[in-house]
Amino acid sequence: MPGQRSITEAEKLASAKLGGIPIRREQMAAVANVHRAASAVRQHLENSVLRGSDLTWTAFVVLWVVWVWGESETRHVAEEAGISKGTLTGVARTLESRGLLGRAGHPGDGRLVLLSLTDKGEELMQRVFPAFNEEEAFVTSGLSDDECRTLADLLRRVVLQVEDHGEERRRELLDGAEPAPRRSGRRAKA
Amino acid sequence: MPGQRSITEAEKLASAKLGGIPIRREQMAAVANVHRAASAVRQHLENSVLRGSDLTWTAFVVLWVVWVWGESETRHVAEEAGISKGTLTGVARTLESRGLLGRAGHPGDGRLVLLSLTDKGEELMQRVFPAFNEEEAFVTSGLSDDECRTLADLLRRVVLQVEDHGEERRRELLDGAEPAPRRSGRRAKA
DNA sequence: CGACTTTCGTTCGGTCTCAAATTGTACGGA
DNA sequence: TCCGTACAATTTGAGACCGAACGAAAGTCG
């Protein structure tokens, strides 16, 4: 249950650990709180509206994307939902088996797969989304409309920074070195 | 790559879908951006500083918590790291097998397990944390120190709202009904 | 001091997660 | 038409993730 106090406290401890190396405190606190807030909100939504419809966060997001954007190619859905396409394959399979999502080949391009909501999926969203939005309002009820706008704007700028300059930054950090493989994940056959 | 435009666009589409039911737009945009930002930041950090040391986000957070707070009981670490205690058991096992984390029984209370960093773990954090904080600064470099403070504050208020009133809210929503079990998860033996 | 209750950490089932390897389709040029 | 390149989704391997069930230890109270 770490609020402001913990973070401030943690800063001091981390500072002491480093013996004088300066810490970017404001930035550290901002980033830490982004994750705290994200997981608190996610937790609340999963355990309130989503639980009753037996949906995980990710499953809901995927359905939501297809709902608002209509029949879509999987890579767009993955991008929009913020998950990898590998993950989407699995999630879509699950949702398909539950009769919420349909899957169809693209008429012109055989490589593409199109996702769309079934009638059952459509009904589900019609029912669940309003409740979901209601809880979004609940979690932000400590903020005014204006503050919500400010919050959204500040976060948007963080997202843009990473999207616009992240890749370049990562290249610079590696500086020529090949980007170390992940520990988990597939290995070369050889 | 959905920035402001996508969200605004999505609002209209969702709005149309609902045929007149009002949407809390600011709240929806704020919540959506919290998650967008969280995953963008996490992605960037995993693929820059953490990757090189073969750490996942969660593994790093766990190490960080033990690092700043010192030898700690597992439930505190889980709480502070924002993961369930079940997850922590697994993560701690992994980190222990890599020689970064130590595990010891509590002398007075046989139920407790204490986690602490090994020397190797200590060295790792000494090296990795400054780089991590550097990237926290990078992702927020579009914001001034003041804006970071504002951002942290707004997010903190969201977290507090959920922590202080979330449980009660969820009870109200269920209104007596037993809280539907998760689809995945252990079942009663019977 | 024995029976209840609480509180630990661990185990377990099912899902999600990533990125690399793989498979399949498309399309340009030789 | 065959060939290589480009790009799509899927499979795969290792692990993170949650929360209910669980067993052990500790506390409580008669």
Side-chain angles (χ1 to χ4, degrees):
Chain A
M1 225 125 320
Q4 166 141 28
R5 219 155 40 75
S6 297
I7 296 218
T8 312
E9 189 70 24
E11 273 169 34
K12 285 186 200 130
L13 292 167
S15 196
K17 281 279 173 190
L18 288 164
I21 295 175
I23 294 180
R24 308 294 295 279
R25 294 169 190 256
E26 287 78 16
Q27 289 74 11
M28 173 171 141
V31 168
N33 278 313
V34 168
H35 287 91
R36 243 177 252 288
S39 80
V41 167
R42 178 174 172 155
Q43 195 97 352
H44 174 73
L45 280 159
E46 286 190 333
N47 289 332
S48 53
V49 286
L50 300 185
R51 198 71 170 273
S53 299
D54 205 8
L55 293 172
T56 61
W57 176 269
T58 304
F60 174 79
V61 171
V62 167
L63 288 176
W64 186 83
V65 168
V66 178
W67 186 53
V68 296
W69 293 104
E71 185 173 60
S72 312
E73 302 167 18
T74 59
R75 74 214 139 99
H76 295 325
V77 175
E79 167 76 31
E80 197 70 29
I83 57 178
S84 73
K85 48 197 188 125
T87 300
L88 178 58
T89 297
V91 174
R93 205 201 326 269
T94 304
L95 290 172
E96 190 186 14
S97 78
R98 291 225 262 142
L100 300 169
L101 208 57
R103 166 196 297 263
H106 188 286
D109 190 332
R111 295 169 299 178
L112 304 180
V113 171
L114 298 171
L115 300 180
S116 58
L117 289 197
T118 60
D119 290 351
K120 191 175 161 195
E122 193 80 32
E123 276 166 42
L124 179 77
M125 289 307 285
Q126 198 74 222
R127 185 166 47 78
V128 173
F129 177 75
F132 188 91
N133 187 237
E134 204 49 45
E135 294 314 302
E136 290 182 314
F138 165 74
V139 301
T140 53
S141 60
L143 277 47
S144 68
D145 281 14
D146 244 9
E147 288 174 323
C148 281
R149 270 188 286 268
T150 302
L151 175 57
D153 175 62
L154 292 170
L155 290 167
R156 198 138 46 215
R157 282 155 64 190
V158 171
V159 173
L160 285 180
Q161 169 68 15
V162 178
E163 280 179 358
D164 293 349
H165 308 298
E167 200 176 325
E168 183 194 352
R169 170 79 176 187
R170 289 191 290 277
R171 254 185 286 110
E172 283 172 18
L173 286 173
L174 286 171
D175 195 33
E178 69 293 353
R182 227 175 175 245
R183 171 168 296 270
S184 73
R186 221 184 216 206
R187 286 299 134 73
K189 194 166 51 176
Chain B
M1 226 135 316
Q4 165 140 33
R5 219 154 39 76
S6 296
I7 297 221
T8 312
E9 189 71 23
E11 273 168 33
K12 286 186 199 131
L13 292 166
S15 196
K17 281 278 172 191
L18 288 164
I21 296 175
I23 295 180
R24 308 294 294 279
R25 295 168 190 256
E26 287 77 16
Q27 289 74 13
M28 172 172 143
V31 169
N33 278 312
V34 169
H35 287 90
R36 245 177 250 288
S39 80
V41 167
R42 178 174 172 154
Q43 195 96 354
H44 174 73
L45 280 158
E46 285 190 333
N47 289 332
S48 52
V49 286
L50 300 185
R51 198 72 170 275
S53 300
D54 206 6
L55 293 172
T56 61
W57 176 269
T58 304
F60 174 79
V61 172
V62 168
L63 288 177
W64 186 84
V65 168
V66 179
W67 186 52
V68 295
W69 293 103
E71 184 173 61
S72 312
E73 301 166 19
T74 60
R75 77 214 133 97
H76 294 324
V77 175
E79 168 75 32
E80 197 70 29
I83 58 179
S84 73
K85 49 196 188 127
T87 299
L88 179 58
T89 297
V91 173
R93 204 201 327 268
T94 304
L95 290 172
E96 189 185 16
S97 78
R98 292 226 261 139
L100 300 169
L101 208 57
R103 167 194 295 262
H106 188 286
D109 190 332
R111 294 168 302 178
L112 304 180
V113 171
L114 298 171
L115 301 180
S116 58
L117 288 197
T118 59
D119 290 351
K120 192 176 161 195
E122 193 80 33
E123 277 167 41
L124 180 77
M125 288 308 285
Q126 198 74 224
R127 185 165 49 76
V128 172
F129 178 74
F132 188 91
N133 187 238
E134 222 18 68
E135 293 315 301
E136 290 182 314
F138 165 74
V139 300
T140 52
S141 59
L143 276 48
S144 68
D145 280 14
D146 245 6
E147 288 174 322
C148 281
R149 270 187 286 267
T150 301
L151 175 57
D153 175 62
L154 292 170
L155 291 167
R156 197 138 46 215
R157 282 154 63 190
V158 171
V159 173
L160 285 180
Q161 169 68 15
V162 178
E163 280 179 359
D164 293 349
H165 308 298
E167 201 175 325
E168 183 194 353
R169 170 79 176 186
R170 288 191 290 276
R171 253 186 287 109
E172 283 172 17
L173 286 172
L174 285 171
D175 194 33
E178 68 292 354
R182 227 174 177 246
R183 171 167 297 270
S184 69
R186 218 184 220 207
R187 285 300 133 72
K189 194 166 50 175

